[in-house]
Amino acid sequence: MKTLTVALGERSYPIYIGANLLNQADLLTSHIKSKQVVIVTNETIAPLYLKNVLAHLSAFHVESVILPDGEQFKTLDSVNLIFDKLLASKFSRNATLVALGGGVIGDMGGFAAACYQRGIAFIQIPTTLLAQVDSSVGGKTGVNHPLGKNMIGAFYQPQAVIIDVDVLATLDDRQFAAGLAEVIKYGLIRDAAFFVWLEENIDALLTRNKTALIYAIEHSCLMKADVVGEDEHEGGVRATLNLGHTFGHAIETGMGYGTYLHGEAVAIGTCLAADLSQRKGFLNMDDVMRIVNLFERAKLPVKSPTELSSEQFIDLMAVDKKNVDGAIRVILLEAIGKATLPMSVDNLSLTQTLQSYGR
Ligand code: NAD
Ligand code: GLY
């Protein structure tokens, strides 16, 4: 097992990464400080892994909340079901919430923990590749709004993140590929050597070769922990983690939550961001092609949906947390391995990108 640290002073916490960690009781119980534990998961994950977690908690008062599965259920209504359970069980402020699932469960569980009695402890047990390399680390929690993705939420850090790579065995290929989009993101924004490693090892990752997988997860978590440690509340460098996301969120919202997986939308969005970077004179065309090629090899979509017109797309992009005074700002690439901070972009360049390469 490898242990990384998200260094945030007295709110620092460990990320445990390895095989068979779901069956190691002490990793979980050592971070639980009271008798009351609520496990938040969903109807797909519960039959697979809930019993592994419950097995460690016989000495605790445990309640489970099993939510419906899907991005379309990442809502305040679902979070309210968690509050219902906490209140009906008379759980106190020293209770601990365990989020067992992908990014949807982790984001909602974390948000419920941030809000219940103004904050209870929570632990992330991410079960998708995407959640293991990205969403479980860093304390962004929240829900979607019909008008904008992740627009309601809070920064709220967990006590620990427990990453068991064995749970990925039950993840389907489409979801697995979606997680690779965020892995590729790290190479693009801050580590050209890792991008080259991914070009060389993408086939091994797709066969879920454990050595390659653990390396990719560790390396991704290391970069995420570095960025979050430097800029927890996204005043600067953390925004680079949103490469491709302004486009991607527009696709998720515009097409209906769940139509495109988050990672798929990020893959398309990153190709659009690369195209725009080239139009702005940053990237050369060879690098754009390397980027698109790697996403394609990772079995991810690279073309934006034809259902969205450029006007609709730009209108959707106007609802994004990076925007300032209503102006659309995106992360661009100066090179493979080097992202810009958020930059305002003119509608003409944006339209050219949306109308040409992406569509
Ligand atoms: P998800 O949570 O919807 O999980 C994907 C699917 O896989 C679901 O159907 C889930 O039930 C199933 N599943 C989960 N683990 C499984 C397993 N081990 N075996 C079989 N099936 C399993 O999607 P996701 O890709 O994990 O997360 C996407 C969400 O994360 C989006 O809402 C996105 O906005 C959010 N996100 C948040 C952050 C952050 O920093 N907080 C970062 C990136 C993404
Ligand atoms: N996934 C973007 C962030 O954590 O900042």
Side-chain angles (χ1 to χ4, degrees):
M1 181 182 82
K2 182 91 165 228
T3 304
L4 307 176
T5 302
V6 182
L8 290 169
E10 61 187 16
R11 289 175 298 106
S12 297
Y13 56 93
I15 308 170
Y16 306 112
I17 305 169
N20 198 31
L21 300 196
L22 218 54
N23 295 321
Q24 292 191 29
D26 57 323
L27 287 184
L28 178 63
T29 55
S30 62
H31 294 283
I32 299 176
K33 303 296 178 214
S34 83
K35 283 276 170 219
Q36 299 174 328
V37 180
V38 61
I39 303 173
V40 177
T41 187
N42 74 22
E43 58 203 8
T44 304
I45 300 150
L48 294 170
Y49 301 114
L50 182 56
K51 64 177 180 315
N52 301 60
V53 178
L54 286 173
H56 310 317
L57 300 174
S58 52
F60 296 83
H61 171 187
V62 184
E63 298 288 343
S64 302
V65 181
I66 300 177
L67 296 171
D69 185 5
E71 185 75 39
Q72 66 275 31
F73 296 108
K74 188 176 164 183
T75 60
L76 285 175
D77 283 346
S78 296
V79 171
N80 216 22
L81 296 174
I82 306 173
F83 297 146
D84 289 348
K85 177 67 85 177
L86 286 161
L87 285 163
S89 312
K90 302 195 168 43
F91 270 22
S92 316
R93 197 180 243 177
N94 62 351
T96 297
L97 185 152
V98 176
L100 172 69
V104 169
I105 288 297
D107 282 14
M108 286 198 292
F111 188 52
C115 298
Y116 185 67
Q117 297 197 23
R118 302 203 177 91
I120 61 172
F122 91 110
I123 295 167
Q124 291 270 20
I125 307 183
T127 61
T128 61
L129 179 60
L130 185 138
Q132 295 189 344
V133 298
D134 193 353
S135 63
S136 64
V137 176
K140 277 191 181 176
T141 72
V143 296
N144 300 327
H145 185 280
L147 296 179
K149 170 93 183 140
N150 291 341
M151 291 304 280
I152 315 293
F155 286 103
Y156 194 67
Q157 302 294 341
Q159 265 56 51
V161 181
I162 302 170
I163 297 177
D164 182 344
V165 296
D166 288 341
V167 302
L168 299 180
T170 52
L171 200 62
D172 70 36
D173 287 344
R174 187 178 168 201
Q175 295 289 352
F176 186 83
L180 289 174
E182 301 281 18
V183 177
I184 293 170
K185 171 186 81 178
Y186 291 111
L188 287 172
I189 62 172
R190 55 195 280 127
D191 192 340
F194 185 54
F195 187 86
V196 171
W197 182 89
L198 287 168
E199 289 181 315
E200 288 164 358
N201 289 278
I202 196 71
D203 297 331
L205 286 172
L206 284 168
T207 63
R208 307 194 196 191
N209 172 291
K210 211 178 253 188
T211 311
L213 201 46
I214 290 182
Y215 176 78
I217 294 170
E218 277 177 11
H219 204 71
S220 299
C221 285
L222 197 59
M223 281 188 270
K224 179 96 191 230
D226 274 355
V227 171
V228 171
E230 199 178 316
D231 177 27
E232 181 182 11
H233 294 127
E234 202 166 303
V237 68
R238 186 164 182 171
T240 61
L241 294 171
N242 289 307
L243 174 69
H245 284 55
T246 310
F247 293 103
H249 287 169
I251 293 171
E252 289 188 81
T253 308
M255 295 301 294
Y257 296 124
T259 308
Y260 279 77
L261 302 181
H262 176 71
E264 292 173 341
V266 166
I268 297 168
T270 303
C271 292
L272 291 168
D275 179 84
L276 191 52
S277 304
Q278 189 267 330
R279 281 173 202 280
K280 289 286 169 199
F282 293 149
L283 275 186
N284 60 47
M285 198 39 110
D286 283 352
D287 283 345
V288 176
M289 292 323 296
R290 274 177 75 192
I291 294 166
V292 173
N293 188 31
L294 185 56
F295 281 117
E296 283 183 325
R297 288 179 62 206
K299 315 270 185 245
L300 284 159
V302 295
K303 297 268 185 210
S304 70
T306 47
E307 290 88 338
L308 291 179
S309 68
S310 304
E311 294 74 25
Q312 285 171 310
F313 214 117
I314 291 171
D315 195 46
L316 288 158
M317 289 174 78
V319 182
D320 185 87
K321 295 186 289 306
K322 285 183 299 305
N323 296 346
V324 173
D325 293 334
I328 293 175
R329 300 197 313 159
V330 297
I331 307 298
L332 297 179
L333 289 171
E334 284 178 26
I336 288 177
K338 191 165 179 359
T340 68
L341 290 176
M343 295 184 66
S344 297
V345 281
D346 56 285
N347 275 11
L348 180 63
S349 310
L350 213 45
T351 304
Q352 284 171 342
T353 283
L354 290 168
Q355 287 184 342
S356 60
Y357 184 76
R359 297 174 60 80

